[in-house]
């Protein structure tokens, strides 16, 4: 399956039990974890360039829910504190919230007034003046005029590819990645190569686009899922998506979905290693790396000791980001049964014995002159 419709690539909307808004604690924890890096990056930007009267900040892959405005709040607090220390008047900040057209922007803007009221009550006269607008479109391409953005932020988005890698289609009627939906131990080398090349192209395009849009002295903080191990098939992401593939194959054996449907489904996602990501940055050549680090985050965002609940927590966070892709390919009736199986598999086969962790990569980049 080669996904070409960007409207399919979005999180579960609304505010229900399986919505992204209710299942995005991983992303929230990462925002708080990377706040010191964000603070340093913005301070360094101010050190390099004169304090602007108007500052443009973009959150790429903003999604919706409380985390969308948490990013806005963190940036406002950082800029406000910095300006008070420098005894300078804070700039007016224009926030652009970007995501694909299928994003639930309606929920974002319905909650904007509530957010603004809360911020005014908490900050009073110390609230940095700001304005928030939405920008639909893929960040794997241009989104803004040349030299107009001061700072880009992205959290848990850049592991998504622009499309399923090409070259995974069946060869002479035989599926290339049969029974798998991502890189697995039994995936042939061409599958690994296809994913790596797609990631390299996409990340390079991303960097080229941001370089043109950033003003001189501008920067970015990028946080996304990656991996620890050298080979993609030997890491936790591969294991997790293997559990999802196993649940799909169980539904094949039960006659609920067809085998062909599974064999033609591959995820448009890639967990790069730190070295892979650094290599693309160095080869593309538009940015200096000011900071590069990684940390681990438990599969279960609540770290609950109840193993049954752990499995449900992991499956719920997975469903919140995968359900639109699953529904598009397998039908709307599939996700509920599928993620119940995933929860059972995780509980019975893994979390009773040990916990698993995502590897999260963080980069602070500075635009070269």
């Amino acid at each position: 399956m080669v996904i070409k419709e960007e409207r399919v690539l979005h999180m579960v909307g609304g505010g229900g039990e399986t919505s992204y808004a209710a299942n995005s604690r991983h992303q929230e924890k990462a925002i708080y974890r990377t706040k010191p890096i964000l603070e340093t990056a913005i301070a360094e930007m101010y050190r390099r360039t004169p304090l602007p009267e108007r500052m443009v900040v973009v959150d790429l892959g903003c999604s919706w829910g409380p985390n969308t405005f948490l990013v806005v709040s963190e940036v406002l607090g950082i800029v406000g504190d910095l300006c008070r220390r420098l005894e300078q008047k804070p700039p007016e900040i224009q926030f652009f919230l970007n995501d694909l057209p299928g994003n639930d922007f309606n929920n974002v803007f319905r909650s904007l007034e509530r957010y603004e009221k809360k911020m005014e009550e908490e900050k009073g006269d110390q609230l940095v003046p700001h304005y928030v607008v939405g920008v639909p479109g893929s960040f794997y391409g241009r989104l803004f005029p040349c030299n107009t953005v001061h700072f880009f932020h992205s959290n848990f988005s850049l592991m998504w590819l622009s499309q399923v890698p090409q070259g995974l289609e069946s060869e002479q009627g035989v599926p290339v990645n049969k029974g798998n939906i991502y890189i697995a131990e039994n995936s042939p080398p061409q599958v690994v190569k296809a994913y790596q090349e797609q990631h390299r192209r996409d990340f390079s395009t991303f960097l080229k686009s941001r370089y043109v849009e950033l003003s001189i002295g501008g920067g970015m903080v990028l946080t996304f899922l990656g991996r620890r191990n050298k080979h993609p098939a030997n890491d936790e992401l591969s294991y997790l998506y293997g559990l999802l593939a196993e649940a799909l194959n169980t539904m094949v054996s039960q006659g609920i979905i067809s085998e062909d449907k599974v064999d033609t489904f591959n995820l448009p996602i890639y967990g790069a290693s730190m070295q892979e990501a650094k290599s693309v940055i160095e080869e593309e050549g538009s940015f200096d790396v000011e900071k590069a680090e990684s940390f681990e985050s438990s599969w279960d965002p609540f770290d609950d000791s109840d193993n049954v609940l752990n499995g449900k927590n992991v499956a719920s966070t997975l469903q919140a980001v995968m359900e639109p892709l699953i529904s598009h390919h397998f039908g709307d009736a599939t996700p509920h049964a599928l993620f119940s199986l995933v929860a059972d598999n995780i509980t019975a086969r893994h979390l009773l014995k040990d916990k698993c962790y995502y590897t999260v990569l963080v980069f602070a980049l500075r635009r070269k002159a």
Side-chain angles (χ1 to χ4, degrees), residues 117-244:
K117 184 177 179 180
K118 179 183 177 183
M119 289 295 292
E120 289 172 1
E121 291 174 352
E122 291 179 355
K123 299 293 184 179
D125 294 339
Q126 292 189 342
L127 180 61
V128 175
H130 62 283
Y131 310 89
V132 179
V133 297
V135 180
S138 172
F139 51 54
Y140 291 123
R142 290 288 304 282
L143 290 166
F144 301 97
C146 297
N147 308 123
T148 57
V149 178
H150 295 91
F151 200 84
F152 283 107
H153 174 271
S154 183
N155 183 59
F156 272 56
S157 295
L158 274 166
M159 63 277 189
W160 290 100
L161 302 172
S162 65
Q163 64 173 51
V164 172
Q166 296 182 4
L168 303 184
E169 299 82 8
S170 296
E171 291 185 347
Q172 299 178 346
V174 179
V176 174
N177 201 24
K178 184 173 177 60
N180 302 313
I181 63 173
Y182 182 63
I183 300 168
E185 288 185 355
N186 63 343
S187 295
Q190 68 195 82
V191 171
V192 179
K193 183 179 179 181
Y195 270 100
Q196 290 176 329
E197 290 182 348
Q198 186 68 50
H199 165 260
R200 190 178 299 110
R201 285 193 299 270
D202 282 345
F203 195 25
S204 181
T205 298
F206 173 88
L207 295 170
K208 285 181 170 66
S209 299
R210 303 294 81 80
Y211 175 80
V212 175
E213 295 165 347
L214 277 169
S215 61
I216 295 175
M220 304 191 289
V221 170
L222 312 174
T223 305
F224 50 94
L225 291 181
R227 71 175 193 274
R228 293 189 304 268
N229 297 329
K230 183 176 181 180
H231 196 281
N234 299 326
D235 204 70
E236 304 295 0
L237 278 183
S238 176
Y239 181 65
L240 178 62
Y241 299 144
L243 291 174
L244 182 57

Side-chain angles (χ1 to χ4, degrees), residues 61-363:
C62 67
S63 195
W64 63 87
N67 292 340
T68 300
F69 293 111
L70 176 58
V71 172
V72 175
S73 177
E74 291 294 296
V75 172
L76 290 177
I78 291 168
V79 173
D81 290 344
L82 183 62
C83 289
R84 282 189 288 275
R85 289 200 302 270
L86 296 174
E87 298 183 344
Q88 296 186 15
K89 181 181 177 181
E92 291 185 312
I93 299 183
Q94 176 74 74
F95 275 99
F96 289 100
L97 302 179
N98 158 258
D99 214 309
L100 292 172
N103 185 53
D104 194 349
F105 282 106
N106 285 336
N107 262 330
V108 171
F109 294 116
R110 275 196 292 265
S111 59
L112 178 58
E113 183 178 0
R114 183 170 64 252
Y115 160 77
E116 295 284 5
K117 184 177 179 180
K118 179 183 177 183
M119 289 295 292
E120 289 172 1
E121 291 174 352
E122 291 179 355
K123 299 293 184 179
D125 294 339
Q126 292 189 342
L127 180 61
V128 175
H130 62 283
Y131 310 89
V132 179
V133 297
V135 180
S138 172
F139 51 54
Y140 291 123
R142 290 288 304 282
L143 290 166
F144 301 97
C146 297
N147 308 123
T148 57
V149 178
H150 295 91
F151 200 84
F152 283 107
H153 174 271
S154 183
N155 183 59
F156 272 56
S157 295
L158 274 166
M159 63 277 189
W160 290 100
L161 302 172
S162 65
Q163 64 173 51
V164 172
Q166 296 182 4
L168 303 184
E169 299 82 8
S170 296
E171 291 185 347
Q172 299 178 346
V174 179
V176 174
N177 201 24
K178 184 173 177 60
N180 302 313
I181 63 173
Y182 182 63
I183 300 168
E185 288 185 355
N186 63 343
S187 295
Q190 68 195 82
V191 171
V192 179
K193 183 179 179 181
Y195 270 100
Q196 290 176 329
E197 290 182 348
Q198 186 68 50
H199 165 260
R200 190 178 299 110
R201 285 193 299 270
D202 282 345
F203 195 25
S204 181
T205 298
F206 173 88
L207 295 170
K208 285 181 170 66
S209 299
R210 303 294 81 80
Y211 175 80
V212 175
E213 295 165 347
L214 277 169
S215 61
I216 295 175
M220 304 191 289
V221 170
L222 312 174
T223 305
F224 50 94
L225 291 181
R227 71 175 193 274
R228 293 189 304 268
N229 297 329
K230 183 176 181 180
H231 196 281
N234 299 326
D235 204 70
E236 304 295 0
L237 278 183
S238 176
Y239 181 65
L240 178 62
Y241 299 144
L243 291 174
L244 182 57
E246 183 179 313
L248 285 167
N249 285 309
T250 297
M251 296 179 74
V252 170
S253 67
Q254 295 171 345
I256 299 173
I257 57 178
S258 70
E259 184 177 9
D260 178 67
K261 280 288 188 179
V262 177
D263 290 340
T264 56
F265 180 73
N266 290 282
L267 293 173
I269 201 166
Y270 183 71
S273 68
M274 177 65 78
Q275 186 53 49
E276 279 180 314
K278 281 184 176 179
S279 177
V280 176
I281 294 168
E282 292 169 0
E283 289 174 7
E284 196 281 324
S286 298
F287 291 89
D288 289 320
V289 178
E290 293 190 319
K291 185 79 172 181
E293 67 176 45
S294 65
F295 62 89
E296 292 185 338
S297 180
S298 171
W299 276 12
D300 175 19
F302 296 97
D303 290 326
D304 201 292
S305 60
D306 182 338
N307 287 305
V308 174
L309 187 59
N310 274 343
K312 290 177 66 177
N313 285 345
V314 178
S316 293
T317 58
L318 196 60
Q319 183 172 359
V321 299
M322 295 293 182
E323 182 175 320
L325 293 176
I326 299 293
S327 295
H328 177 75
H329 190 75
F330 295 98
D332 292 337
T334 303
H336 178 73
L338 173 65
F339 289 101
S340 292
L341 281 172
V342 171
D344 291 343
N345 286 347
I346 292 172
T347 299
R349 295 186 50 203
H350 192 74
L351 290 180
L352 285 172
K353 298 179 180 179
D354 195 7
K355 289 193 175 184
C356 264
Y357 294 89
Y358 295 112
T359 297
V360 184
L361 307 184
V362 190
F363 287 92

